[in-house]
Amino acid sequence: MERVIPAEWFDRSAVSVAPDLIGCTLVRQLPDGTQLRGLIVETEAYQEGDPACHAYRKQTKRNQIMFGAPGYVYVYLIYGMYHCVNVVTDRIGAPSAVLIRALELAPATLSTISLKPKQKQIRAAAGPGKLCLAMQINLDLYGTKLELGQAMWIEHRSIDWQAKLDIGTIELTQTTRIGLTQGIDLPWRWYLKGCKAVSVFEKLPIEN
């Protein structure tokens, strides 16, 4: 199986793509060829008709990428200082995206970043702002196509990781999303159960 996920894989609803991204690897290729890598361990879905979605009201210069083809990068700035990275999903004209909330960074990537005093390595990308800082993701990457040779791409789950998920050795938890004032009851957040790299655990799981 080709490891790099093609754009057409993202041509589904955000709520379908978001859980499937858990266990995949986000790769950031720097201009000098250095690759930063992290296992995706937490995601949130935002899609058409969702009051918490940036494109809920109308198309703007900021959110226009969400109305385009799937498989592109949507980066935005919050609080004037933190970046958040999203993957555009679904068909053209149906604005939706998946927010990548947390990564478990690869050892080689951890060696490239400076941690704050007492900051645990496993928590270096535990949250959308932290992961963008660690992976050197900013507004310059807005509109980047996720494919090999570009500044970013995503790779499929490893065969071993998928096998563990299939037999229940590892599990995903589904909850409501974090830090919202609208759409707060939608259960569109997923994370790797028991993973210490997840941003927060306070949300209650959705009952099956």
Side-chain angles (χ1 to χ4, degrees):
M1 179 181 68
E2 176 63 42
R3 290 298 308 277
V4 178
I5 297 178
E8 54 266 26
W9 189 86
F10 299 101
D11 191 7
R12 299 177 285 146
S13 70
V15 295
S16 295
V17 173
D20 288 351
L21 278 173
I22 305 296
C24 296
T25 298
L26 180 67
V27 183
R28 167 77 168 102
Q29 181 159 280
L30 303 179
D32 66 0
T34 299
Q35 290 183 5
L36 308 178
R37 292 174 168 268
L39 189 76
I40 299 173
V41 296
E42 182 182 358
T43 58
E44 285 182 345
Y46 295 85
Q47 64 182 30
E48 191 174 26
D50 170 15
C53 180
H54 285 180
Y56 179 62
R57 297 188 182 280
K58 62 180 181 179
Q59 183 173 340
T60 65
K61 184 177 180 180
R62 181 199 198 196
N63 66 31
Q64 61 185 350
I65 192 70
M66 297 180 72
F67 289 82
Y72 284 79
V73 176
Y74 171 40
V75 182
Y76 60 85
L77 192 67
I78 58 172
Y79 308 127
M81 58 188 301
Y82 299 113
H83 294 94
C84 295
V85 63
N86 303 254
V87 181
V88 176
T89 59
D90 218 323
R91 68 191 187 281
I92 294 175
S96 70
V98 173
L99 171 66
I100 301 177
R101 280 198 57 91
L103 300 175
E104 185 175 314
L105 299 178
T109 298
L110 276 169
S111 69
T112 68
I113 63 177
S114 298
L115 298 174
K116 295 179 180 179
K118 298 183 179 181
Q119 182 181 10
K120 296 180 180 179
Q121 286 191 333
I122 192 66
R123 305 287 299 164
K130 287 182 179 180
L131 81 83
C132 283
L133 185 62
M135 299 289 278
Q136 299 185 37
I137 296 171
N138 56 36
L139 293 175
D140 292 340
L141 298 185
Y142 181 104
T144 298
K145 187 174 184 180
L146 289 165
E147 63 180 7
L148 189 65
Q150 295 295 321
M152 282 179 58
W153 64 84
I154 298 176
E155 297 176 352
H156 282 291
R157 295 166 174 168
S158 69
I159 294 175
D160 180 62
W161 200 97
Q162 183 63 56
K164 289 179 180 178
L165 181 66
D166 291 342
I167 65 175
T169 304
I170 54 179
E171 300 177 33
L172 305 187
T173 295
Q174 182 180 4
T175 75
T176 50
R177 297 171 297 185
I178 295 171
L180 303 178
T181 57
Q182 299 181 355
I184 58 176
D185 296 325
L186 293 172
W188 290 355
R189 172 183 173 239
W190 291 264
Y191 65 84
L192 180 59
K193 185 177 181 180
C195 178
K196 295 181 180 180
V198 168
S199 61
V200 295
F201 298 95
E202 285 79 4
K203 288 289 186 177
L204 295 175
I206 302 303
E207 295 293 339
N208 293 322

